[in-house]
Amino acid sequence: IAGAIVAATTATTIADTTLYGRFRAGLVCTDDGSNTDCSLENRSSRFGIKVKQEISDGLNAFGNYEFGVNLDEGALSNGTQTNRLAYVGLKGGFGEVSIGSRWSPMYNYVTSPVDPVQLLGGTWQGTGYASDFRNQDTINYKNKFGAVGMHLQVMMDDQAGAHDIDEVQIGAGGKLGAVNLGIAYEDKADVGSVVGVHGGTKLGPVGLGLSYYNASTDTGVATINC
């Protein structure tokens, strides 16, 4: 329904259209104790387009489509990184609903604040548990209550034989005085669940933050903390 509305409203006019981009590269050096390796790496460069169209008083249709870019190689990214964000939705006094590929609540509220250069990419190395930082095939509900924002995301993959609901995430966060707080919960069918919390603040130009994850798997592996 949301897709049909956006198609209908943008066919006659291109209103509130925004082109944007973020181009980043980094010199990354790693030392595993026996070898040191340095390389130039792309750090999630991208460009995209955002559209917004008023349907009636207080009701707007919106969409976002984004491409990943390999800045160090001068090419579009391949695979799942090429189409990064791709969603369409409706926004009004009820909040906003959307479908498509969006950032996950866990990444937005817990991982992203301590991963500004996106070295983690939503994966906690060595824990045996990975949280997707972007999810495809999702239905999303977002709203804001005062200074607190919330995001509910339900993933419903279209693969044959898969679960009707493959993953559920819910998160919330906001600023309390000088402190930024975030919490999120994720449950993947046949994989496990994870709870994450974040707290952070700024001291002048320096940002400080701490994120904690408690994950458990459906295979009987002991709870993982990191």
Side-chain angles (χ1 to χ4, degrees), residues 153-168:
Q153 184 176 84
V154 178
M155 182 178 178
M156 303 178 70
D157 201 326
D158 54 2
Q159 294 182 5
H163 296 274
D164 290 335
I165 297 179
D166 300 276
E167 181 178 334
V168 176

Side-chain angles (χ1 to χ4, degrees), residues 60 62 87 89-98 102 140-144 150-152:
N60 292 276
F62 63 89
Y87 59 86
L90 293 171
K91 184 175 183 178
F94 54 85
E96 68 172 62
V97 292
S98 64
R102 300 204 68 169
N140 301 267
Y141 174 72
K142 301 179 73 173
N143 208 339
K144 194 168 184 179
M150 64 82 60
H151 181 186
L152 171 65

Side-chain angles (χ1 to χ4, degrees), residues 55-168:
I55 298 175
S56 63
D57 290 340
L59 182 63
N60 292 276
F62 63 89
N64 191 183
Y65 198 83
E66 190 174 272
F67 288 90
V69 178
N70 275 336
L71 185 64
D72 54 331
E73 298 176 2
L76 291 177
S77 301
N78 295 321
T80 58
Q81 295 299 311
T82 299
N83 296 330
R84 292 168 51 92
L85 300 177
Y87 59 86
V88 64
L90 293 171
K91 184 175 183 178
F94 54 85
E96 68 172 62
V97 292
S98 64
I99 57 174
S101 174
R102 300 204 68 169
W103 294 105
S104 71
M106 182 67 72
Y107 186 73
N108 275 337
Y109 289 114
V110 181
T111 307
S112 179
V114 292
D115 188 22
V117 294
Q118 297 183 336
L119 286 173
L120 299 178
T123 303
W124 309 305
Q125 302 293 339
T127 66
Y129 191 98
S131 174
D132 296 327
F133 49 106
R134 281 189 306 276
N135 281 330
Q136 303 173 351
D137 301 301
T138 65
I139 302 172
N140 301 267
Y141 174 72
K142 301 179 73 173
N143 208 339
K144 194 168 184 179
F145 305 94
V148 178
M150 64 82 60
H151 181 186
L152 171 65
Q153 184 176 84
V154 178
M155 182 178 178
M156 303 178 70
D157 201 326
D158 54 2
Q159 294 182 5
H163 296 274
D164 290 335
I165 297 179
D166 300 276
E167 181 178 334
V168 176

